[in-house]
Each structure stands twice: as C-alpha cells, then as structure tokens.
Amino acid sequence: MKVRIDVDACVGAGQCVLAAPDVFDQRDEDGMVVLLLETPPPALEAAAEHAALLCPALAIAVDR
Amino acid sequence: MSETTVGARPDLAGFPTARDPRCPFDPPAEYTELRAQEGTASLSCPVGVEARVVSRYDDVRAMLSNPQLSSHAAPSTHVVAGGQLDRPVSPGSLLHMDGPDHARLRRLLTPEFTVKRIQAMRPYIQRLVDDHVDALLAQTGPVDLVSEFALPIPSLVICELLGVDYADRDRFQRQTAVLIATNSDPAALEQANLEVVGFMTQLVLGKLAAPGDDLLGRLIVRARESGQELSVEELVTLGITLLIAGHETTANMIGLSTLALLRQPDQLEALRADPGLAGTAVDEMLRYLSIVQFGVLRQATGDVTVGDETVKAGEWLVAVLSAGNRDESVFPDPDRIDLRREATAHLAFGYGIHQCLGQQLARVELQEVFARLHQRIPTLRLAVPFEEVEFKDDALVYGVKALPVTWDRAGEDAR
Ligand code: HEM
Ligand code: SF4
C-alpha cells in the first residue's frame, strides 16, 4: 500500500492522527499533516485507509 | 453559530422539528422519510428562502466538501426568522469565510488545536472535571447538572485556552452562562453580549501589548512573523467565535449525553465498568445526539451536483447532520446507542474545510467527563421524572435546559 497526502488541502482537523498515529502526524508550526510512513506495514493498512475515509478535506489518498 | 447564535431564537414554521416525546433524542421522523425518498426535498425555511434539505450521509459529505458551496451565511441562519442571509462577512469570522481567505486564517489557528497540543491540556481538564465532581459531592442533591457542571467546565477550558487571568474567570463564566441560557430576557442578553465583547476586547488589547504563552499570544506572534498581522477586530471576532463555537456545544453535549446514558443503564454500566470505553463512547454520543440540530447552511456559487441532482447557482442547501448520522447504510441499527461502535466518521462536527476546528478539544473534555463523572458518582440518577425534563427544541444547539440529578451519599467517592 502507498499513502499520499496533499498538504495544501489539509485543514488540520487531526482525524488522521487519531485514526493512525503511526502513519500520520501534524507539524507543530502549522498543524498540517505529516506522512510518517509512505508504505505502511500490513498491520497498519486498515488504519491508514480509515484515516483516508475520515479526512474531511480529502487530503489523503491510498493506493493499493 | 457566532453572530446569529447570540440571542437568536428560531421560529421553525415549515421546518421539521417535532421530536417524538418518547424518544426526544431521535431527530424528527420527517428526516427518516426524506432519506428514503429519491433526490432532495425543498423546504421553505423560517428565514424566508427555499432550501434543499440534504439528509443522506454520502450526500452530506459530498455537499460539505464541495468548494462551490459558500458558507458566507451563518451555519444555522435558515431557521432564524428575520435572520440576515447577505450580511457582509466580518473580518476574522472563520465560520463564514470561503476559499483561500478561510484557509489562511484557519492555518494560523490550527497549530493550537492539533492532537498533540490538546493532549497537553488533558491533565488540566482532568483536574477541572475532578474539581467540579468534588463540588457536586460537597452538596446534598438534587443539583442541576447543567448549571453546576456542564456549563462551567467548557467555559473554564476556553479561559485556559485563551489565557484569561484567573481573577477574571468567574466574571467571564457568569456572562457566558447568560448568553446561553434559554430563559435570559432580551435586555439581559444584550447586556451580557456587550460585556463579553468588551471583555474580549480588553483581553485582546492586553495580549497585543504583551503576547503571552497562550492561544491569543501565540496567534498574534505567529501572524506577525508570517506578515499577516491580525487587527483588533479580527482577534476579537476570533475569540468570540471560539467562545460561542466551543462553549454552548460542549456544555449541551455534557448535559444531553448524561441524560441519554442514564436512560440506557446497560450502556452506562459498561462505561462505568470500563472507563477506557470513553474514547469510542464520545464519538458514538456525538453521532447519536447530533446537537447542531438544524444542520448547516450553504449557498451554491455555481451550478453544482449534489447526489444525483443539479443545483443552480444561488440556491440554498442545508446539510442535516442529524439525519446523516442516522443513515442506516453507514451506521447499522442507527437509532441504538452502542458505546463500542466505531463512529468517528460521524457528521456531528460537520465535514469539509469547516469541520470543527475544536473537535480534539471537545473530545478530550467529553472523554474526561464520561470517564470520571460516572466512576466517581456511580449512583448518579435523575431527580425528577423523565417527562419533566425540558429540551431545547427551538435552540440552534440541542440540549436540556436543566438536569436535576441526585445520588446516594454512602460509598460515593471512588477518586
Ligand atoms: C461537542 C462539541 C462541538 C460540536 C458538536 C461542534 C460542532 C461544530 C460544527 C458542526 C462545525 C461546522 C460548522 C459548519 O460547517 O458551518 C464546527 C465548526 C467550528 N468549531 Fe466546533 N463543535 C464543538 C466544539 C468546539 C470547541 C470546543 C471549539 C473550540 C474551542 C470549537 C470551535 C469551532 C470552530 C472555530 C469552528 C469553525 C471552523 C471553520 O469554520 O473552519 N468547536 N463545530
Ligand atoms: S485528517 Fe485530513 S485534514 Fe485532518 S489533519 Fe489529517 S490530512 Fe489534514
């Protein structure tokens, strides 16, 4: 699985960090999303997909 | 929420509002019918325009993530008779801004609401909740949980966030309580409104002169350093927005969810037995109660498609969050409270670029209340018959007007 983020679209709602804290973080200086793992291990794939579903700004894409 | 919330009393002729008294937690039955129909219904709104009522989960998400729908009118103006739909957006009024202007302002604020930053406030919030439980336990019931617990906690959290001096917090809390009470008379409301604006202006001027290590102080510095200096007016509007958006909502969630849980002893027992359940419980109760009860209003700035329909430029749309949150295609058995349900994808905080900025803060406040209140007062119960509890059927944010509760004195404190 490959995860992509669109920082320009992010509105810093933090849903991704709650859903998949090992895959996403937020920058301290502006609260925008940071991708920690571009290719999450299988154990984290479901959480990453859930984060993509939750993101209110459609800023996360997941390619299988 | 801001601007129109303060003192506005909606008149709902023509808009579905009648809840079933047997279950006042369920949205009006009309929405279930609207969800099942094809397309969207057009309803005439108390404000005097027709609006498309969007009630299915997927359609609500599609609508609220569409950049061609403008937020310029306040989110609940459709239900405010005499409300102004074309009022110019005041600078700093985040909820009403669109596009790049909205993004710029939201980004200046976002670092204050990250998951990490809010987690750092958790110990303060825990102490605050414990102190208020102590204060309840120091009395002999019945006590009104709304005025003694649900209202003060979020108000004090906002004081902490904004960096209000301790000495001023009592006054701040009294004024904000008047703003929210459904029985305040217009003169008292007007007075409290002026006082809160005056209070916020003083606070902002103080922070501009000496920015401290709090939200407003850091925001002022951050804006200056990035060449986007904020005016006094913008800062005051932002402060009031945070107050209005964060106080009334969280307070009503505390009161209403406590009542709903008291009516579901099996769920409450599960929560008491395992306070770790508070995490999922909070999102499930947000979904189930959807307190922004009339949804959020948008206007099309171009021809757009919502669901399978074309909406013409200039048309109004209402995303009924409560209806989407009971969509059985997304939440099986939607009218049941299941504190173990994975409900984070609910719509109670909205969706799209305006999705609640304070949601992590609201979650932490509610989690600490859920985990502590019932643990420490396991015999908490309603002190009046359920039928006597009054609901805020005509307020923009749903809740209970008062919640008289009591408990057994013996063996009560499990701190
Ligand atoms: C249970 C509590 C809460 C609920 C149900 C709630 C609900 C909402 C909803 C539905 C919106 C979107 C409005 C729209 O789309 O037009 C919103 C936006 C907002 N909320 Fe909350 N909220 C809560 C708590 C808070 C708290 C604690 C704060 C901060 C102290 C806060 C600050 C905001 C702000 C600033 C916005 C505007 C965001 C923007 O326009 O970009 N809210 N809230
Ligand atoms: S959920 Fe989306 S909008 Fe929110 S922080 Fe993550 S990427 Fe940004």
Side-chain angles (χ1 to χ4, degrees):
Chain A
M1 173 193 277
K2 211 170 154 69
V3 180
R4 283 174 296 131
I5 55 169
D6 177 355
V7 180
D8 290 335
C10 173
V11 294
Q15 301 267 38
C16 54
V17 184
L18 277 193
D22 298 321
V23 184
F24 304 98
D25 197 0
Q26 284 169 286
R27 298 198 293 239
D28 287 335
E29 62 281 13
D30 64 1
M32 294 299 120
V33 62
V34 180
L35 188 56
L36 301 175
L37 289 173
E38 201 177 321
T39 41
L44 296 177
E45 286 185 351
E49 274 188 331
H50 193 54
L53 170 92
L54 289 176
C55 174
L58 308 173
I60 302 172
V62 176
D63 301 323
R64 281 258 178 202
Chain B
M1 258 168 268
S2 65
E3 293 181 350
T4 54
T5 318
V6 181
R9 294 284 176 269
D11 161 8
L12 294 156
F15 214 74
T17 56
R19 292 177 188 248
D20 184 341
R22 282 168 305 175
C23 189
F25 307 113
D26 286 347
E30 285 93 330
Y31 292 125
T32 315
E33 291 154 29
L34 289 179
R35 249 195 336 261
Q37 285 170 15
E38 287 203 15
T40 54
S42 257
L43 291 182
S44 62
C45 300
V47 75
V49 294
E50 294 272 312
R52 302 231 189 186
V53 175
V54 177
S55 56
R56 279 181 292 270
Y57 180 89
D58 289 340
D59 294 346
V60 169
R61 297 230 309 187
M63 171 184 156
L64 293 180
S65 53
N66 190 320
Q68 283 185 287
L69 297 183
S70 166
S71 277
H72 70 89
S76 293
T77 312
H78 53 295
V79 290
V80 182
Q84 276 179 285
L85 287 169
D86 48 6
R87 182 205 300 259
V89 174
S90 42
S93 199
L94 190 66
L95 274 159
H96 310 146
M97 296 166 92
D98 296 320
D101 290 344
H102 170 268
R104 238 184 334 260
L105 191 59
R106 177 143 175 155
R107 272 170 192 225
L108 284 175
L109 271 172
T110 304
E112 302 298 331
F113 292 93
T114 60
V115 172
K116 235 181 290 168
R117 174 81 75 182
I118 299 301
Q119 285 301 338
M121 283 184 81
R122 195 184 280 270
Y124 169 80
I125 294 169
Q126 287 172 342
R127 224 171 11 205
L128 201 61
V129 172
D130 272 334
D131 288 349
H132 282 80
V133 174
D134 289 342
L136 290 179
L137 289 173
Q139 309 176 49
T140 38
V143 167
D144 174 20
L145 196 82
V146 170
S147 57
E148 311 235 350
F149 190 82
L151 281 171
I153 292 173
S155 166
L156 289 168
V157 167
I158 288 170
C159 286
E160 179 75 9
L161 195 69
L162 294 178
V164 175
D165 281 343
Y166 283 97
D168 294 333
R169 293 189 182 186
D170 265 356
R171 186 157 60 95
F172 182 80
Q173 213 180 291
R174 272 197 311 275
Q175 293 164 352
T176 54
V178 178
L179 284 187
I180 292 177
T182 36
N183 57 357
S184 305
D185 67 81
L189 255 174
E190 178 68 32
Q191 179 64 22
N193 202 358
L194 285 175
E195 280 177 30
V196 169
V197 173
F199 188 101
M200 202 61 79
T201 309
Q202 286 307 313
L203 186 68
V204 162
L205 290 173
K207 303 286 174 194
L208 276 168
D213 193 14
D214 47 55
L215 184 150
L216 284 174
R218 286 187 299 261
L219 175 65
I220 288 165
V221 172
R222 195 178 304 122
R224 265 183 205 155
E225 285 176 352
S226 62
Q228 308 178 69
E229 192 140 2
L230 297 167
S231 66
V232 175
E233 187 193 356
E234 281 172 298
L235 288 163
V236 170
T237 303
L238 272 177
I240 303 264
T241 300
L242 293 177
L243 168 65
I244 304 281
H247 183 207
E248 185 173 10
T249 47
T250 314
N252 279 303
M253 261 312 286
I254 294 174
L256 194 62
S257 60
T258 302
L259 178 62
L261 285 172
L262 289 174
R263 301 281 293 166
Q264 291 289 320
D266 59 321
Q267 294 292 315
L268 184 55
E269 192 42 52
L271 179 63
R272 232 185 254 126
D274 175 13
L277 209 55
T280 50
V282 163
D283 280 292
E284 170 67 346
M285 295 311 279
L286 284 160
R287 176 195 75 82
Y288 180 73
L289 297 170
S290 303
I291 56 171
V292 178
Q293 62 173 334
F294 303 118
V296 292
L297 177 67
R298 299 289 190 264
Q299 186 175 32
T301 58
D303 294 354
V304 298
T305 311
V306 170
D308 305 327
E309 288 177 49
T310 310
V311 176
K312 293 245 171 298
E315 278 193 60
W316 296 92
L317 300 96
V318 176
V320 186
L321 308 177
S322 61
N325 276 339
R326 299 295 183 103
D327 190 330
E328 52 284 333
S329 67
V330 181
F331 305 105
D333 203 356
D335 298 333
R336 203 169 66 92
I337 299 174
D338 174 3
L339 298 186
R340 292 198 164 76
R341 194 195 292 267
E342 286 290 342
T344 25
H346 64 71
L347 303 168
F349 289 127
Y351 191 72
I353 60 166
H354 290 277
Q355 192 183 59
C356 185
L357 181 64
Q359 59 182 286
Q360 308 310 347
L361 181 57
R363 283 197 173 96
V364 170
E365 288 183 61
L366 293 168
Q367 283 163 8
E368 294 306 327
V369 166
F370 280 25
R372 277 156 204 268
L373 179 64
H374 303 289
Q375 278 278 303
R376 293 196 53 209
I377 319 183
T379 58
L380 189 79
R381 61 181 176 274
L382 210 50
V384 295
F386 179 66
E387 295 68 36
E388 284 176 24
V389 177
E390 286 189 75
F391 292 84
K392 299 183 177 176
D393 292 316
D394 60 355
L396 303 183
V397 182
Y398 193 53
V400 288
K401 293 183 181 172
L403 193 65
V405 292
T406 191
W407 55 88
D408 297 337
R409 301 280 303 167
E412 63 201 3
D413 195 349
R415 187 169 188 171

